[in-house]
Amino acid sequence: MRALLAADRTAGFGGLAVRDVGHPHTAENDVVVRVCAAGFTPGELDWPGTWTDRNGHDRAPSVLGHEVSGVVAELGFGTTGLTIGQRVCGLTDWARDGSLAEYVAVEARNLAPLPADVDHTTAAALPISGLTAWQALFVHATVRPGQSVLIHGAAGAVGSVAVQLAREAGAHVIGTGRADDRDVVLGLGAAEFVDLAADGLDSVGEVDVVLDVIGGDVANRSAALVRAGGTLVSIAGPPENTPRDGRALFFVVEPDRHQLAELLERVRSGRLRVLVGDVLELGDAVSAFTRRRRGKTIIRVDPQGTAPS
Ligand SMILES: NC(=O)c1ccc[n+]([C@@H]2O[C@H](COP(=O)([O-])OP(=O)(O)OC[C@H]3O[C@@H](n4cnc5c(N)ncnc54)[C@H](OP(=O)(O)O)[C@@H]3O)[C@@H](O)[C@H]2O)c1
């Protein structure tokens, strides 16, 4: 099968190539998914799991991409709950070969059934951004109605989902970004927009929760905005500053079938918009890693899921 391979840690983007590789191995409780569409994160080349397995052993060359939407093609030993031919989407293991390939092996529990009225392109854009936003707001920060939530990078993949979820949860949402993100962020339901370059953070006042996707100076300055009992939750890296009377934490998103099903239900009922950017073929996956566009870039592998398994 064809897949996007990253050759080794030192080669960077120059080590990416679409090549023929072996068919994935199904372990216990796995399924093999025939990939219809896949999502990736440009920063994957810096992630430990891209280069080493869970025992710390070198696993390069590695297949990139960890978001998949497709059709179940094989069941592993003992796998229950999913059936061959079923439409599914989900998040694949960081330390295993990924979804920028014709087939990917995934633990069945990491996948959610994909409703017939959600297309594979949209579904492939949802697992990382959707689960990250959900876990940040509702698992780590426990946002409640009436609270104020400051969401940095609110026009980006994670931020745009977070704005919509926080607003639906009854929060007062303040989104930040660059000047030309304003209309997108307000259109997603934020009550206020802050242009980080022009306005800075001084005008924001105290908030209950900050979701930071940018890190560095933005994260450092945000700690002081968190009111007593509040939370600064970052996905960019461990925060250096902690709120005076609150919590600061960093987490890495985890697969969760139930949360993904909740997100998919919001997509199919029109309550959640996923911002998809470019949609490219697997042969264009190398260039997809290096270009920067608004919205999540999705790689179509077998768009209809029609190839023989
Ligand atoms: N820990 C985890 O589990 C986890 C999960 C998902 C993502 N992440 C990480 O979180 C980060 C965000 O992910 P994402 O997928 O949401 O990325 P994204 O789609 O690129 O969104 C980031 C947004 O922040 C904006 N931004 C960045 N720096 C800015 C600045 N200085 N001023 C104003 N706006 C700025 C970007 O604008 P431009 O596009 O114009 O730069 C973009 O709109 C990435 O580093 C990603 O690797 C971590």
Side-chain angles (χ1 to χ4, degrees):
M1 68 164 189
R2 288 188 318 143
L4 179 67
L5 273 186
D8 70 73
R9 201 189 281 262
T10 56
F13 291 121
L16 303 185
V18 176
R19 297 202 190 284
D20 285 326
V21 301
H23 194 79
H25 169 74
T26 39
E28 285 90 340
N29 297 322
D30 272 352
V31 299
V32 167
V33 176
R34 191 167 67 230
V35 180
C36 297
F40 64 92
T41 304
E44 281 178 36
L45 294 182
D46 298 324
W47 296 350
T50 299
W51 306 111
T52 53
D53 65 19
R54 286 182 175 272
N55 289 321
H57 298 141
D58 189 359
R59 70 177 195 87
S62 315
V63 179
L64 298 175
H66 293 284
E67 293 165 284
V68 65
S69 185
V71 176
V72 175
E74 295 168 39
L75 301 178
F77 184 68
T79 302
T80 59
L82 296 174
T83 53
I84 290 180
Q86 188 169 5
R87 299 170 88 241
V88 289
C89 76
L91 185 57
T92 74
D93 192 323
W94 310 123
R96 268 176 109 179
D97 279 343
S99 59
L100 289 169
E102 292 178 84
Y103 295 89
V104 60
V106 194
E107 284 188 77
R109 63 182 174 178
N110 294 2
L111 300 170
L114 178 61
D117 48 3
V118 178
D119 63 78
H120 287 296
T121 302
T122 302
L126 187 64
I128 290 183
S129 54
L131 289 169
T132 304
W134 184 285
Q135 289 165 20
L137 295 172
F138 304 135
V139 176
H140 299 293
T142 57
V143 167
R144 295 186 298 281
Q147 289 192 320
S148 50
V149 180
L150 177 67
I151 298 173
H152 290 308
V158 175
S160 60
V161 175
V163 167
Q164 297 171 80
L165 294 178
R167 154 112 189 241
E168 190 189 51
H172 177 88
V173 179
I174 306 164
T176 79
R178 303 189 195 278
D180 60 0
D181 294 333
R182 178 182 299 274
D183 291 347
V184 173
V185 173
L186 295 176
L188 291 170
E192 301 174 45
F193 176 79
V194 174
D195 173 348
L196 285 176
D199 308 331
L201 290 172
D202 295 341
S203 62
V204 170
E206 287 195 322
V207 295
D208 296 292
V209 173
V210 177
L211 169 54
D212 175 51
V213 310
I214 297 174
D217 197 40
V218 172
N220 289 342
R221 284 186 286 133
S222 296
L225 303 176
V226 177
R227 70 167 50 99
T231 306
L232 164 62
V233 54
S234 175
I235 59 165
E240 291 173 20
N241 295 348
T242 301
R244 202 152 40 93
D245 190 12
R247 296 184 306 142
L249 63 95
F250 163 72
F251 77 100
V252 175
V253 61
E254 294 182 49
D256 188 295
R257 176 183 287 177
H258 175 71
Q259 293 168 2
L260 193 51
E262 290 276 349
L263 289 157
L264 285 164
E265 177 52 32
R266 282 163 174 73
V267 171
R268 60 176 296 280
S269 61
R271 288 146 63 202
L272 178 62
R273 273 173 58 206
V274 183
L275 303 184
V276 174
D278 288 343
V279 180
L280 304 172
E281 306 297 321
L282 185 56
D284 299 319
V286 174
S287 65
F289 256 78
T290 51
R291 65 166 100 184
R292 290 292 296 130
R293 296 276 161 69
R294 188 192 290 279
K296 183 103 180 164
T297 299
I298 295 301
I299 303 297
R300 292 193 311 178
V301 181
D302 175 18
Q304 308 304 329
T306 49
S309 51

